[in-house]
Amino acid sequence: MKVRERIVSPIAHTCDVLVCGGGFGGIAAALSAARSHKKVILLEKTYTLGGLGTAGLVTIYLPLCDGMGKQVSFGIAEELFRLSISMGMEPQIGMPYPDIWLDEEKVPKRNEKSMRFETQYNPHLFAILVEQLLRKEGVEIIYGASAVAVKVKKDKISSVLIEGKSGRQAIQAVSVVDATGDCDIAKFAKAQTETFRQGNVLASWYYFIDEKGYHLNMLGFADIPDDQKTDADREKDRGRKRYAGLETEELSRMMQDSHGSILQDVISRREKGQDVWPVTTASIPQVRMTRKIVGEYTLDVAEEHTYMKDSIGMVSDWRKRGPVYEVPFGTLYGKDVRNLITAGRCVSVTESMWDIMRVIPCCAVTGEAAGLAAAMTDDFSVLDVSKLQEELVRRGVVLHEKDLK
């Protein structure tokens, strides 16, 4: 009879704040925590920062404004916006330069008919620029390693187990930010989570060149939440393949389906006489919603223009003009694991609200608050939210709609 040896994962790193996931939520969280003079590690399973916004080629920095002439998202959300086009924006037709927002002299021209505070940026330049920014701020970046398990002691995560080229190791942290996009850390820690029941449609965004230049082809676009669909939408949706995005085999099939979709699109364009050459395809699956935490508070789409006492910042609805949402601190953490907080599309919202909260500005807003909170405490249930809010305001975040100019 063979006796199995127990493999003990050595503690390879220690830190004050461990941020798992290097998308926009994780980037914002790591920057925010590092600026509180904490030792921060940012763990990213690929070798590119930015998540769907770079490796996934979803390179539209959606609005920081309400569409009615008012900016609503500030702080790191705006900082990353400006960084993304600091070396120029992409020459996409229909996405003009947002100079009415970047030039203070043009403020009076902002109104409900003006272009929204959004842009298209280059994924490769942004990934490199933000990597340099994080390193400058003292963040240690670990690429090519995935979180695979956690150790929990007395309702707190004591360490996160990772696997990479060096094998299985452990990172010991005081507090942990789950910015994985799939709420993996919360799931490993057995915190209460919920999955996206509707599933994701196939997306196959890719870049190509033709005789007219360089383009982003948004092949397979965003979905409509089930409870907002018309009868015509439901009929169009009938039989459409969907992906939950949480299983290895399914994600593998999704990537193959995406590649096939791109090839068919190129063939179709060439048959019509267009001299198309793909130049960049996504290196990660383009899934938008998968799993999220069940938090102390769950934000719903009907709560637009609602005052939230514990607001950590505001977001808008990228799909239409008008709605503004104050994001409660209670959406970032749950009851089960005291030193775990979430950011990005992992936060606690209803399925209808999820489609709003999954985009870049919302990820950055929640990431900044999560990173700062993680630098302040290892028990989010007892954090003095007023202290968190004071520091966010000092950093340039506007918390409530009534305070907008």
Side-chain angles (χ1 to χ4, degrees):
M1 180 178 178
K2 292 183 179 180
V3 178
R4 290 185 179 180
E5 294 183 7
R6 183 183 177 188
I7 299 175
V8 179
S9 301
I11 300 294
H13 306 273
T14 61
C15 60
D16 298 310
V17 178
L18 172 61
V19 180
C20 298
F24 277 80
I27 290 167
L31 282 173
S32 187
R35 288 169 179 171
S36 296
H37 310 292
K38 298 295 183 179
K39 183 178 180 181
V40 180
I41 291 177
L42 176 58
L43 180 71
E44 169 52 44
K45 64 183 178 181
T46 70
Y47 287 85
T48 302
L49 294 174
L52 272 180
T54 55
L57 303 185
V58 184
T59 53
I60 308 298
Y61 207 120
L62 287 167
L64 300 177
C65 72
D66 65 351
M68 308 299 286
K70 291 183 179 180
Q71 182 180 347
V72 301
S73 298
F74 299 85
I76 291 177
E78 181 179 355
E79 179 183 357
L80 295 180
F81 181 102
R82 292 175 180 271
L83 180 67
S84 75
I85 54 173
S86 60
M87 294 183 67
M89 64 165 284
E90 291 207 328
Q92 182 72 11
I93 296 172
M95 189 70 72
Y97 199 81
D99 57 351
I100 61 170
W101 293 98
L102 299 177
D103 187 344
E104 287 302 315
E105 294 182 358
K106 298 186 179 182
V107 170
K109 295 183 181 180
R110 299 177 196 166
N111 55 51
E112 68 277 6
K113 295 180 181 179
S114 68
M115 179 201 164
R116 297 189 71 172
F117 197 170
E118 62 185 343
T119 194
Q120 183 175 326
Y121 59 91
N122 181 270
H124 315 296
L125 283 174
F126 176 77
I128 296 170
L129 288 168
V130 82
E131 178 185 83
Q132 291 187 336
L133 174 61
L134 285 160
R135 292 180 65 186
K136 181 181 176 182
E137 296 284 355
V139 176
E140 180 182 353
I141 303 169
I142 299 178
Y143 283 134
S146 299
V148 295
V150 301
K151 290 185 178 180
V152 179
K153 295 180 180 178
K154 297 182 179 179
D155 299 328
K156 290 183 179 180
I157 295 173
S158 60
S159 61
V160 174
L161 277 62
I162 65 172
E163 284 188 354
K165 194 67 175 177
S166 300
R168 179 168 283 205
Q169 299 174 316
I171 302 176
Q172 198 171 62
V174 177
S175 56
V176 180
V177 180
D178 188 340
T180 60
D182 299 325
C183 223
D184 287 334
I185 308 303
K187 182 68 174 177
F188 295 150
K190 293 183 169 46
Q192 188 177 358
T193 59
E194 290 180 343
T195 57
F196 185 48
R197 295 186 298 271
Q198 185 172 328
N200 295 267
V201 296
L202 184 67
S204 311
W205 293 27
Y206 73 100
Y207 281 89
F208 69 87
I209 55 171
D210 63 8
E211 60 275 7
K212 295 181 181 179
Y214 166 79
H215 310 277
L216 171 64
N217 184 10
M218 295 179 280
L219 185 62
F221 203 59
D223 201 8
I224 303 171
D226 278 345
D227 63 357
Q228 297 174 27
K229 286 178 180 172
T230 64
D231 289 340
D233 292 328
R234 293 187 183 91
E235 184 60 34
K236 184 178 179 181
D237 198 46
R238 194 184 303 276
R240 178 184 281 182
K241 190 173 182 180
R242 290 185 176 275
Y243 306 83
L246 292 170
E247 299 293 338
T248 301
E249 294 79 10
E250 186 199 41
L251 287 170
S252 297
R253 289 194 300 271
M254 184 181 185
M255 285 299 283
Q256 293 169 64
D257 291 344
S258 177
H259 295 158
S261 178
I262 291 170
L263 180 59
Q264 188 56 50
D265 187 68
V266 171
I267 292 171
S268 176
R269 288 172 180 271
R270 288 187 174 186
E271 287 175 346
K272 295 175 183 177
Q274 190 176 359
D275 188 20
V276 172
W277 292 92
V279 292
T280 310
T281 60
S283 58
I284 62 173
Q286 295 168 346
V287 289
R288 289 171 166 85
M289 293 165 280
T290 54
R291 184 165 50 215
K292 57 183 173 62
I293 200 166
V294 175
E296 287 282 1
Y297 190 88
T298 300
L299 185 64
D300 183 58
V301 71
E303 295 179 285
E304 59 185 81
H305 308 299
T306 300
Y307 177 84
M308 299 290 180
K309 184 178 179 181
D310 63 337
S311 173
I312 49 83
M314 289 177 289
V315 300
S316 62
D317 188 337
W318 61 273
R319 306 166 304 182
K320 60 183 179 181
R321 297 174 184 263
V324 176
Y325 296 91
E326 298 184 11
V327 182
F329 180 62
T331 61
L332 306 188
Y333 70 97
K335 300 176 181 179
D336 308 298
V337 186
R338 291 184 291 157
N339 67 337
L340 175 65
I341 194 166
T342 65
R345 69 184 201 222
C346 296
V347 304
S348 183
V349 292
T350 61
E351 289 224 347
S352 294
M353 189 67 197
W354 210 346
D355 192 44
I356 296 173
M357 288 298 293
R358 66 176 174 79
V359 301
I360 290 173
C362 307
C363 291
V365 167
T366 55
E368 180 169 11
L372 176 57
M376 295 173 68
T377 186
D378 64 348
D379 189 341
F380 301 108
S381 66
V382 299
L383 176 65
D384 185 344
V385 180
S386 66
K387 298 294 184 185
L388 173 69
Q389 291 174 314
E390 286 174 12
E391 179 60 20
L392 286 170
V393 170
R394 193 190 70 78
R395 295 183 180 193
V397 176
V398 180
L399 302 177
H400 302 291
E401 191 173 5
K402 66 180 180 61
D403 296 324
L404 291 175
K405 297 180 181 179

